Amino acid sequence: MRKQILIIGSGIAGLSLALFLKKAGIECTVYESRPYKKQIGSSFRINRSGVQVLNSLGLIEKVQNNSYSADRLRIIAPKNIEAVTINLMQSNNYGERSIFIQRSDLMEILMAKAKEEEINIQYNKKMIKYTQNQDSITAVFEDGTHAVGSLLVGADGLNSVTRQQTFPMHILKYANSWALYGAASSKEIEGPLNPLLMSKDEFFYLKKNVVFYVSKSHPNSHYDISWQASGYKERKLPFQDFDGKTENQLKEDILRMIEDDWDGILPSIISSSKIIPKQIFSIDPLPSLSNNRVIIIGDAAHTINPNTGYGSSVALEDAMYLAKMLRDYNFKDAFYYFEFDRKKRIDSINGLLNSFDISRGIDFSKGFDIGVFSGAKIDPEYTIEW
Ligand SMILES: Cc1cc2nc3c(=O)[nH]c(=O)nc-3n(C[C@H](O)[C@H](O)[C@H](O)COP(=O)(O)OP(=O)(O)OC[C@H]3O[C@@H](n4cnc5c(N)ncnc54)[C@H](O)[C@@H]3O)c2cc1C
């Protein structure tokens, strides 16, 4: 049977896979549970490897016109003390830099390209299960319809139905972190914005168990400033204390959390932002990513913790690599090589948080310890009594 691929989910992984399959001359259809509309959401970092994938799709000019790429990262300790400035050693070539971009802008760029390439995207198609036999695989949708293909790729994100059916014993677990994602307009912020934030730099505000990341994320749109706050929590917060709060209540909480530590522009940015709260969940590494004619990619497969800053880069890398393997091999070998070759990369990214979990912040109460850069968990209170 010719390869006819059913892609479940039109997020970053699903759309970029469809574009690479088109390049490889392989037929596919994308099925998306939501209706078509411009997406809302916050912004994220895409690392150099992910930007290179977008470059391979011929999208770099559009990405450059809709993103921000800093040259330096400034780490700000409480009392606005600048602790460290890191030169990010960015390339002069935009296609090889790490960037910050609104998720909605990246989705628009990918959807416009999918339209240009005449990729078939079916909206309002929520897959509820799949069935497979020796020759084909069938996706069954909530509206009573179904679609038959030779292979099915689950690119259906964190709460993946494809993963739940394929690996039912692997459930999402709380990943010890809450996060708030904010977007603000530089035109609405009171007081002068740091010119470095508006031109060359991104800022990490760090203290024990809390981190704020603030960056420009668009050269000229209304919401041009983005931030993420995250913090370590042993146990998940109850709904009424976090997800269920109003935006104003969340702002009050976060302003209270920082009031003794950072004054100046940070409170003003938070006050004028729209905010999305999110408690972070993940799954343990899966025993495999495929089962006969089905495979999972992106967040469905790895639930990359957003505190690593790698989720969307991994989704882009997965899409390109799987399409390349499917172009070059029969599906069994393609799935085998995809899993084998990507494992080391995914393990190293997931392992990042074991050595340095940014949501734990940095405790500057006893000064700055250079050991944080080794990835070790340094106790700032450590002393030897004689
Ligand atoms: C608010 C927020 C902030 C984030 N910040 C960062 C960050 O700073 N850095 C970073 O790297 N990553 C970040 N991430 C994560 C990043 O967005 C994901 O890791 C990345 O988008 C993975 O893409 P994906 O295509 O695998 O999944 P998704 O983007 O989740 O796409 C899955 C798609 O599948 C669809 N779908 C789901 N179920 C079904 C079904 N049953 N049938 C049909 N369709 C279905 C969904 O509607 C969705 O369109 C953030 C995520 C969020 C939500």
Side-chain angles (χ1 to χ4, degrees), residues 114-344:
K115 197 169 174 196
E116 189 185 307
E117 298 288 343
E118 298 179 345
I119 285 166
N120 185 358
I121 306 177
Q122 307 260 323
Y123 290 94
N124 296 308
K125 288 284 174 192
K126 180 173 183 174
M127 187 182 83
I128 50 169
K129 66 172 185 178
Y130 65 82
T131 57
Q132 60 176 326
N133 57 35
Q134 279 304 93
D135 307 313
S136 65
I137 186 158
T138 302
V140 180
F141 301 104
E142 199 177 46
D143 63 4
T145 60
H146 66 270
V148 182
S150 63
L151 303 172
L152 184 147
V153 181
D156 44 354
L158 187 71
N159 296 298
S160 168
V161 167
T162 319
R163 183 187 67 243
Q164 284 164 27
Q165 181 178 341
T166 316
F167 304 103
M169 302 304 284
H170 290 256
I171 51 167
L172 288 171
K173 296 190 313 192
Y174 179 59
N176 306 114
S177 176
W178 56 266
L180 290 171
Y181 298 90
S185 167
S186 58
K187 295 159 206 82
E188 289 172 3
I189 292 165
E190 282 173 25
L193 273 164
N194 188 327
L196 294 170
L197 175 67
M198 299 309 286
S199 60
K200 287 274 170 246
D201 294 3
E202 53 190 32
F203 288 71
F204 262 119
Y205 293 80
L206 277 162
K207 67 172 187 170
K208 192 176 180 185
N209 283 338
V210 179
V211 55
F212 273 86
Y213 175 75
V214 184
S215 174
K216 198 169 162 178
S217 54
H218 197 284
N220 49 32
S221 85
H222 182 70
Y223 287 106
D224 54 350
I225 307 280
S226 292
W227 57 268
Q228 297 178 5
S230 60
Y232 182 82
K233 268 277 173 238
E234 191 72 34
R235 294 168 75 225
K236 182 181 119 47
L237 288 157
F239 180 78
Q240 70 266 26
D241 289 351
F242 191 68
D243 327 50
K245 284 196 164 179
T246 64
E247 193 171 80
N248 281 339
Q249 287 170 329
L250 289 168
K251 281 182 192 175
E252 279 167 24
D253 288 353
I254 205 83
L255 288 169
R256 217 174 299 120
M257 198 183 286
I258 65 165
E259 67 187 349
D260 294 332
D261 299 307
W262 293 295
D263 51 12
I265 209 65
L266 189 57
S268 176
I269 291 177
I270 293 166
S271 303
S272 67
S273 291
K274 53 174 188 165
I275 298 183
I276 301 171
K278 207 177 159 212
Q279 307 216 45
I280 310 299
F281 285 81
S282 65
I283 45 159
D284 290 334
L286 295 166
S288 162
L289 298 179
S290 68
N291 176 18
N292 195 16
R293 292 181 174 274
V294 62
I295 191 163
I296 46 179
I297 64 169
D299 269 8
H302 330 289
T303 61
I304 298 287
N305 188 312
N307 287 325
T308 63
Y310 266 94
S312 29
S313 305
V314 163
L316 289 162
E317 293 171 21
D318 273 0
M320 184 172 180
Y321 202 72
L322 180 61
K324 184 175 157 183
M325 293 300 103
L326 287 166
R327 181 195 66 192
D328 294 346
Y329 303 107
N330 70 37
F331 85 87
K332 286 198 170 154
D333 280 345
F335 286 4
Y336 167 78
Y337 288 126
F338 175 79
E339 289 183 39
F340 187 89
D341 296 346
R342 296 281 297 144
K343 187 174 183 329
K344 203 168 153 196

